[in-house]
Amino acid sequence: MAQYFDQLQKIAFEGAQSSNPLAFKHYNASEKVLGKTMAEHLRMAACYWHNFCWNGQDVFGQGTFGRPWLEAGDPMEMAKFKADVAFEFFSKLTIPYYCFHDVDVAPEGRTIQEYVNNFAAMVDVLEQKQAETGVKLLWGTANLFSNPRYAAGGASNPNPEVFSYGATQVFHAMNATKRLGGENYVLWGGREGYETLLNTDLRHEREQLGRFMQMVVEHKHKIGFTGTLLIEPKPQEPTKHQYDYDSATVYGFLKQYGLEKEFKVNIEANHATLAGHSFHHEVATAISLDIFGSIDANRGDAQNGWDTDQFPNSVEELSLVMYEILKAGGFSTGGFNFDAKLRRQSVDRYDLFHGHIGGMDHLALALKKAAALVENDFLATAKQQRYAGWNADLGQSILAGKQSLESLAALTQQQQLDPKPVSGRQELLENQVNLVLFS
């Protein structure tokens, strides 16, 4: 079979001195960092949707990429063509994982039975491709947002028949993920939200969502899926407001429905910034709540107010994120999935490699910088010193519930407490971090 990327063999590591744009400068899969290989630390994946399902079209213009498998033809034959190209790409990029939505890999069809048949046939194809290439599935998911039936949401839809249709897709996508050895299953509520409160019953929709998530958990245990269930937060877009606004909001929702031990979060960098947070904040928050799961690695543009899904290129930002992950023990089933897409002007087929090579190198360099921060952990020392009082008698008695407002008021007056401000030394710490990052 003719190869789509016929001018390229596997991407190799050539080191920082290489001038070859189609080679890794920092990502050396077998290099050990803090006792684990880079591949084991980063667990990187490429996505099916942006790379092979998008033709470069946006709301202002038609497609620019000219992907032949997206042209008119027999839908199943085109889906198999797309799979051939996708796994050629994954293999030549030497990326260990991939991710997909159900309708990324299979034609949706005109009826629910066509959907089921098409998806089942393509799962056979994916299983064969994985066996041939060694590429593994990081996570699967179902698309409950693109079809017009989901204009008012999937699980939160006012029509229970739409809820049922969405449940059917999730049923088959979860089964496929288990069969393909997927290590996680993701739910993204792209349209689980509202456009206006004039026609929205917030309590009802949250109850629907809660029941839907409980059903997902029930099915996970029924089929013996041992992977992690992930919810991907996003504040808005395409809806005005989405119920999975950010990691903290997701945690509150999970607590309400008794699901906090069943789900973790898949954090996307660009979604974090849309919520008014930094990527670093969202990762640290999820870790502090014990719901950190996986990452969609990308970035936004500060001058654009929407989800631009660009390839990550800030080593400074990625290093601080990687520091938090290393300190928390690293990924378990999660990893870094490049939920990133080319710019519409990047019309050369090999631009797909340039985008991913850069992202993989930036993550690898960030890993090395984060490891240096961990090895000389002045940040941890500064935090320990700042909170040292909580390890003393007063702090421990407060945390142990041995104090009340009344007892603290009496103690403060009796001992004539007069605490003085202590420097947080932010500027010093910023300088010390930069010495590591840019040395």
Side-chain angles (χ1 to χ4, degrees):
M1 181 189 303
Q3 295 188 323
Y4 185 69
F5 301 105
D6 56 355
Q7 298 178 24
L8 183 66
Q9 299 303 313
K10 289 184 181 293
I11 303 299
F13 170 72
E14 295 185 4
Q17 304 309 312
S18 173
S19 61
N20 179 4
L22 290 170
F24 295 121
K25 315 301 187 299
H26 299 284
Y27 178 62
N28 181 359
S30 61
E31 180 181 341
K32 289 285 186 74
V33 178
L34 299 180
K36 292 167 59 176
T37 66
M38 284 190 171
E40 290 170 328
H41 274 297
L42 298 172
R43 296 170 55 83
M44 292 186 284
C47 74
Y48 224 91
W49 51 99
H50 288 321
N51 293 321
F52 307 108
C53 303
W54 183 51
N55 66 358
Q57 179 179 359
D58 66 15
V59 295
F60 300 106
Q62 62 188 17
T64 59
F65 294 153
R67 308 295 193 217
W69 57 88
L70 298 179
E71 295 174 1
D74 178 81
M76 284 299 292
E77 290 305 312
M78 289 301 184
K80 293 174 184 176
F81 181 11
K82 180 165 55 175
D84 289 338
V85 176
F87 278 85
E88 179 194 351
F89 174 75
F90 302 148
S91 298
K92 289 184 173 180
L93 183 62
T94 69
I95 200 162
Y97 292 97
Y98 76 110
C99 301
F100 70 80
H101 299 83
D102 52 351
V103 296
D104 294 341
V105 298
E108 191 166 5
R110 294 166 295 179
T111 66
I112 190 63
Q113 193 58 53
E114 283 189 16
Y115 161 83
V116 171
N117 295 343
N118 291 344
F119 189 40
M122 285 308 300
V123 170
D124 290 343
V125 172
L126 296 179
E127 187 174 50
Q128 180 181 352
K129 292 290 183 184
Q130 289 183 202
E132 291 171 352
T133 63
V135 178
K136 296 177 286 187
L137 180 62
L138 186 65
W139 53 257
T141 188
N143 180 328
L144 307 190
F145 49 87
S146 291
N147 191 288
R149 73 173 60 89
Y150 296 121
S156 62
N157 199 286
N159 184 348
E161 291 185 0
V162 175
F163 184 104
S164 179
Y165 203 106
T168 304
Q169 284 188 238
V170 172
F171 170 82
H172 288 284
M174 289 184 70
N175 293 349
T177 299
K178 177 180 183 293
R179 176 180 162 189
L180 295 171
E183 299 188 28
N184 309 270
Y185 184 83
V186 170
L187 296 109
W188 177 57
R191 297 192 188 275
E192 311 295 0
Y194 63 81
E195 301 290 353
T196 175
L197 289 173
L198 298 179
N199 62 7
T200 301
D201 185 330
L202 290 175
R203 184 186 300 274
H204 201 290
E205 292 196 355
R206 285 179 63 86
E207 289 175 353
Q208 293 174 213
L209 273 170
R211 181 58 195 135
F212 196 94
M213 297 305 176
Q214 290 167 345
M215 292 164 63
V216 168
V217 171
E218 291 162 5
H219 189 63
K220 169 188 172 174
H221 295 302
K222 181 175 182 179
I223 65 175
F225 177 56
T226 58
T228 303
L229 297 175
L230 301 171
I231 292 177
E232 182 171 331
K234 189 177 183 182
Q236 75 278 325
E237 193 201 48
T239 63
K240 177 180 179 178
H241 175 89
Q242 288 168 215
Y243 297 122
D244 52 5
Y245 191 93
D246 59 9
S247 294
T249 304
V250 168
Y251 182 74
F253 172 86
L254 294 175
K255 287 285 287 186
Q256 181 181 359
Y257 292 97
L259 298 169
E260 69 274 14
K261 301 298 183 184
E262 299 284 357
F263 285 91
K264 295 187 182 299
V265 287
N266 182 53
I267 296 168
E268 179 175 314
N270 205 169
H271 294 179
T273 51
L274 285 172
H277 306 307
S278 68
F279 183 23
H280 186 190
H281 166 90
E282 279 292 270
V283 171
T285 297
I287 289 171
S288 74
L289 295 170
D290 197 29
I291 56 169
F292 175 71
S294 196
I295 285 177
D296 273 4
N298 58 24
R299 64 183 167 97
D301 187 313
Q303 292 178 296
N304 284 340
W306 59 87
D307 196 1
T308 56
D309 286 332
Q310 295 170 253
F311 284 91
N313 65 1
S314 172
V315 175
E316 179 178 5
E317 178 181 54
L318 294 171
S319 297
L320 294 175
V321 166
M322 199 67 227
Y323 170 81
E324 300 289 346
I325 295 171
L326 291 176
K327 291 285 289 182
F331 290 111
S332 54
T333 60
F336 283 103
N337 168 50
F338 289 106
D339 184 5
K341 61 186 178 184
L342 297 175
R343 302 302 89 192
R344 291 181 72 246
Q345 297 178 55
S346 298
V347 297
D348 189 289
R349 67 185 64 183
Y350 295 95
D351 287 329
L352 283 171
F353 285 93
H354 294 304
H356 285 82
I357 289 168
M360 295 168 77
D361 266 344
H362 297 141
L363 282 175
L365 182 55
L367 171 62
K368 290 187 281 188
K369 296 297 183 180
L373 289 172
V374 170
E375 289 175 319
N376 177 24
D377 206 346
F378 56 84
L379 292 175
T381 300
K383 290 178 184 179
Q384 290 167 1
Q385 292 172 347
R386 191 174 187 217
Y387 293 92
W390 289 95
N391 292 319
D393 291 344
L394 176 59
Q396 287 294 294
S397 68
I398 293 171
L399 294 175
K402 297 178 180 179
Q403 298 286 355
S404 65
L405 290 180
E406 183 178 4
S407 67
L408 288 176
L411 181 148
T412 302
Q413 291 174 264
Q414 290 168 3
Q415 298 187 12
Q416 293 294 298
L417 297 184
D418 186 20
K420 298 293 189 294
V422 177
S423 176
R425 297 185 172 181
Q426 177 176 334
E427 293 77 12
L428 171 62
L429 295 175
E430 290 170 342
N431 293 346
Q432 290 177 316
V433 168
N434 281 340
L435 284 174
V436 174
L437 296 183
F438 300 106
S439 62

